[in-house]
Every structure is written in C-alpha cells, then in structure tokens.
C-alpha cells in the first residue's frame, strides 16, 4: 500500500513515498512560509495555495497522504492556526498535523540512527528551529531552539549577497547566543 508523507517546514516542503517496503524521495517544493510570515505577520495566501496545489497533485499517486508541519505552524496564534487548518482540510480533504519540536527531534533521530549502534549527535537545522539530540542506543539528551536558517539570514541579510560584509565571528556569536546545546557531548560534537 502506497503512502505519501509531506513534511512542511518553514521554507522547504519535503515529500516521500513509501510503497510498503522502501521510501522514495519525491520532488519537494520551496515555500517561504517563515520569511513571508515575518514580513506580513500572517501566512501568505499564495504560500497556502501553493501547498494545497502540490498536496492535491499528489492525490494522483495515492489518497493515503500524511501531512505535518513544523516550526512556522507551531508559532501561529491559535486563531491563525485554526483558520489555516480549516482551509487546508476544506481544500484537500486531509488533516494537517502540527508536530512539536520534541516529536520532530525524535522522528528525525529515529530515521538517522536506524542503521547504527554508534553514539553520535544529530542536528536538525531548519528554517525556523534547530533541534539537537545526543543518541546512544536511544536519545539520551535533546535540546530545542527557536532559531533557524531564516532567522540568521534575516539578522544578516548581506550573507545572501556575492560579498558578505558581516564577519563569520559575528554570525557565530549570534548563533551561540541563541542556540541551546546539549550538556552531554557525543563523539561527533567533540
């Protein structure tokens, strides 16, 4: 039985197809939810429409679709989120699940570590959040920060230019001030 999993992030929407045995990465889509939200102080209608169109296109493959959203959807006010969820449901006939940072961290770590027995650190750097976990036959510690790539780029817009004027030290200091690190260090983090 085919199943499609759509993970909607602050900037990147990932799509995977599970055919019962293997997972196949499908073409994703870039939707600047967080960047546009930060500018307009609301979800941009064009962004919502783009997500709904892509989701409905995938129904040609299967109606068995699971859709989840990450940090940008966690930060919405309750009435904004309810309006989005209602619109999404009405136009796709699918539920949209907002997953917590803890769930996002746990699911990613499970996927990354399923074939290893080594102790390591796993970092999930997204557009609007960063999760770090220390894994040693299970998650032994994790941290969640509300800073992502979009936040860094908005703080230092010159980083997108051909010649950035912001120093690496300034960017690193900003990240250090805003990123929570685990107390335990895995071999990979040392």
């Amino acid at each position: 039985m085919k199943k499609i999993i759509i993970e909607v992030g602050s900037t990147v929407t990932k799509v995977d197809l599970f055919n019962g045995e293997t997972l196949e990465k499908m073409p994703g889509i870039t939707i600047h939810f967080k960047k546009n939200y930060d500018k307009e102080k609301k979800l941009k209608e064009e962004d919502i429409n783009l997500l709904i169109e892509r989701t409905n296109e995938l129904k040609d493959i299967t109606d068995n679709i699971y859709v989840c959203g990450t940090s940008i959807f966690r930060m919405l006010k309750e009435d904004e989120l309810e309006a989005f969820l209602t619109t999404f449901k009405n136009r796709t006939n699918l539920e949209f699940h907002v997953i917590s940072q803890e769930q996002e961290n746990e699911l990613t770590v499970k996927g990354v570590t399923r074939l290893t027995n080594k102790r390591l650190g796993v970092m999930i750097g997204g557009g609007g959040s960063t999760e770090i976990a220390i894994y040693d036959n299970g998650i032994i510690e994790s941290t969640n920060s509300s800073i992502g790539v979009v936040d860094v780029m908005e703080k230092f817009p010159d980083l997108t230019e051909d010649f950035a004027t912001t120093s690496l030290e300034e960017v690193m200091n900003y990240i250090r001030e805003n990123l929570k690190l685990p107390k335990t260090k895995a071999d990979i983090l040392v």
Side-chain angles (χ1 to χ4, degrees), residues 82-117:
E82 286 304 316
F84 168 76
L85 294 174
T86 300
T87 298
F88 188 85
K89 173 75 174 178
N90 289 343
R91 294 184 51 202
T92 65
N93 202 31
L94 294 169
E95 297 295 328
F96 187 99
H97 307 272
V98 179
I99 61 171
S100 69
Q101 275 189 304
E102 292 77 16
Q103 288 172 301
E104 183 178 5
N105 196 340
E106 184 179 323
L107 292 169
T108 303
V109 170
K110 280 183 181 178
V112 169
T113 61
R114 71 186 183 284
L115 300 176
T116 188
N117 59 3

Side-chain angles (χ1 to χ4, degrees), residues 6-66:
I6 304 172
E7 179 194 340
V8 186
S10 295
T11 305
V12 177
T13 296
K14 301 173 198 160
V15 181
D16 294 294
L17 172 65
F18 182 67
N19 67 13
E21 293 181 24
T22 60
L23 195 63
E24 174 189 339
K25 193 154 260 333
M26 298 182 65
I29 187 168
T30 299
I31 306 173
H32 294 281
F33 279 110
K34 181 167 178 23
K35 182 178 178 182
N36 292 333
Y37 185 88
D38 287 347
K39 285 181 191 171
E40 299 187 16
K41 304 302 179 216
K42 66 178 186 170
L43 289 178
K44 190 173 177 181
E45 192 169 333
E46 291 88 17
D47 293 344
I48 295 169
N49 290 337
L50 192 55
L51 174 62
I52 289 171
E53 287 170 23
R54 178 66 174 133
T55 301
N56 283 329
E57 288 169 3
L58 292 167
K59 289 181 179 179
D60 290 341
I61 299 169
T62 181
D63 284 330
N64 188 6
I65 300 175
Y66 177 84

Side-chain angles (χ1 to χ4, degrees), residues 124-172:
I124 305 123
S129 67
T130 301
E131 296 79 32
I132 301 174
I134 305 301
Y135 175 87
D136 192 359
N137 291 319
I139 296 173
I140 59 173
E141 184 181 357
S142 64
T143 62
N144 301 311
S145 303
S146 295
I147 181 176
V149 175
V150 174
D151 302 297
V152 174
M153 300 310 283
E154 286 179 353
K155 175 77 174 166
F156 306 105
D158 64 289
L159 295 178
T160 63
E161 302 297 323
D162 290 336
F163 182 75
T165 55
T166 303
S167 71
L168 178 59
E169 184 177 315
E170 191 175 354
V171 175
M172 295 294 287

